């Protein structure tokens, strides 16, 4: 029993749980505004266009700050010195959201929230990467990223709507800010600067980034291919999640409650696949896993656009085929961080996030909306499918980075020499 306890109570597991909850609470606070909009819109006299602006301003500031502050953490050689204060700031922003008196107030607060939340994923995943053993690196990174689906997309709507209905929308924002404050003090007390669990990762150890290392981010083929994949996979994600609910209600004539069940199946599928797919890549390799599941991701919007089945059938399709979120840890975190010195991992991750948010999260939904007005509500789903197809094809250009594949290649080379 003591041996099992000692095996579990490792710092690798500790940093894994700290980053899981930190990232989950980021998405709780990011998505809460959408779920609470019906409650505060009448009081603040807001329309749907203003809701869109509130979401967009957060996305833009998120993308830009993610790159700036993640790069800063690389250049100063510290994850903790950046992560702790920004965790505190985004938590305070939730309280400020609850205190907003007008559209302008809410817009400014959410912009500030985007500035503080943008660097969280790159820095958190860089810390987890450094502390992970090679045999479970994919699982660790996928587990952290799955928090957005479990805490942000699944639990948050249940929590904030109940609080808003029983108390007020302002109280909901205040309560949602508390977990982030708790994590601030946990990180301050227990997080340490990353130390590579193994002697080396791709021949590199975690040190303060040099300018020469920093330039490698912009010169490595894998990084730029992952940037392209990020742009098109975020097109898949944001176009699909933005227009699928409306499609189910208006085109397939499901009730709002039935639509909610289908989207819940999507959320559950996202959570499970975000853990399963990176774990598979630990055994199969990053490149073949990304290509395989990118092709599978094409099916989710295509089938939902063309198969007009019962509620149970649509939920099953959603659960089984919505695998795209499981590919995100591969191109956003694992492949870039394994391709470069660990000291610039956060910069590489934030670069994929930056382009993905700006293209897939900002431009693509607008273009998809125009297409929906011109060609019908199924058009955005076809656009989402096309985004996944591009990702699968671009994936063939990647260079394999999985440790298990690197060891096989090295062993084959040594055998050939002998």
């Amino acid at each position: 029993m003591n041996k099992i306890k000692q095996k579990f109570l490792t710092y690798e597991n500790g940093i894994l749980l700290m980053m899981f909850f930190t990232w989950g609470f980021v998405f709780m606070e990011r998505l809460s505004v959408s779920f609470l909009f019906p409650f505060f819109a009448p009081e603040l006299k807001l329309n749907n266009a203003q809701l869109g602006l509130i979401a967009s301003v957060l996305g833009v500031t998120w993308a830009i700050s993610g790159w700036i502050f993640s790069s800063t953490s690389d250049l100063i050689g510290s994850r903790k010195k950046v992560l702790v204060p920004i965790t505190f700031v985004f938590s305070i922003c939730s309280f400020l959201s609850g205190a907003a008196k007008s559209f302008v107030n809410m817009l400014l607060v959410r912009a500030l929230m985007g500035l503080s939340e943008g660097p969280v994923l790159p820095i958190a995943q860089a810390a987890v990467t450094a502390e992970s053993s090679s045999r479970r690196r994919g699982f660790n990174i996928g587990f952290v990223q799955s928090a957005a689906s479990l805490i942000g997309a699944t639990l948050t709507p249940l929590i904030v709507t109940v609080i808003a209905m029983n108390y007020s929308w302002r109280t909901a924002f205040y309560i949602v800010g508390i977990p982030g404050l708790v994590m601030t003090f946990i990180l301050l007390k227990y997080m340490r600067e990353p130390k590579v669990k193994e002697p080396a990762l791709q021949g590199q150890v975690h040190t303060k980034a040099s300018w020469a290392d920093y330039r490698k981010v912009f010169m490595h083929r894998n990084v730029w291919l992952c940037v392209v994949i990020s742009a098109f996979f975020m097109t898949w994600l944001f176009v699909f999640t933005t227009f699928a609910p409306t499609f189910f209600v208006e085109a397939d004539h499901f009730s709002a409650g039935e639509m909610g069940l289908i989207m819940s199946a999507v959320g559950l599928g996202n959570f499970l696949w975000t853990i399963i797919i990176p774990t598979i890549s630990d055994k199969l390799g990053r490149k073949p896993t990304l290509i395989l599941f990118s092709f599978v991701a094409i099916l989710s919007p295509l089938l939902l656009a063309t198969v007009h089945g019962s509620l149970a059938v649509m939920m099953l399709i959603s659960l089984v085929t919505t695998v795209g979120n499981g590919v995100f840890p591969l191109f956003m975190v694992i492949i870039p961080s394994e391709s470069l010195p660990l000291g610039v991992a956060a910069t590489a991750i934030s670069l994929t996030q930056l382009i993905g948010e700006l293209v897939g999260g900002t431009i693509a939904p607008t273009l998809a909306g125009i297409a929906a007005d011109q060609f019908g509500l199924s058009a955005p789903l076809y656009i989402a499918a096309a985004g996944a197809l591009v990702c699968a094809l671009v994936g063939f250009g990647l260079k394999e980075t999985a440790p298990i594949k690197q060891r096989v290649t090295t062993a084959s080379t040594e055998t050939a020499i002998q």
Side-chain angles (χ1 to χ4, degrees), residues 3-49:
K3 288 184 178 180
I4 295 175
K5 185 177 180 181
Q6 290 174 357
K7 187 176 181 180
F8 180 77
L9 296 177
T10 63
Y11 185 72
E12 180 178 3
N13 289 331
I15 192 69
L16 184 65
L17 291 174
M18 283 188 280
M19 296 304 105
F20 175 87
F21 285 108
T22 300
W23 178 235
F25 295 145
V26 163
F27 254 75
M28 172 178 278
E29 296 182 18
R30 178 175 184 173
L31 297 181
S32 60
V33 70
S34 297
F35 303 127
L36 291 173
F37 182 72
F39 297 93
F40 68 77
E43 181 177 334
L44 301 185
K45 297 180 174 59
L46 305 183
N47 56 36
N48 288 320

Side-chain angles (χ1 to χ4, degrees), residues 235 239 243 247 363-384:
T235 295
V239 170
F243 292 95
F247 178 85
I363 298 174
T366 301
L367 296 179
I370 295 172
D373 289 336
Q374 295 293 320
F375 306 106
L377 278 172
S378 61
L381 299 182
Y382 289 112
I383 291 173

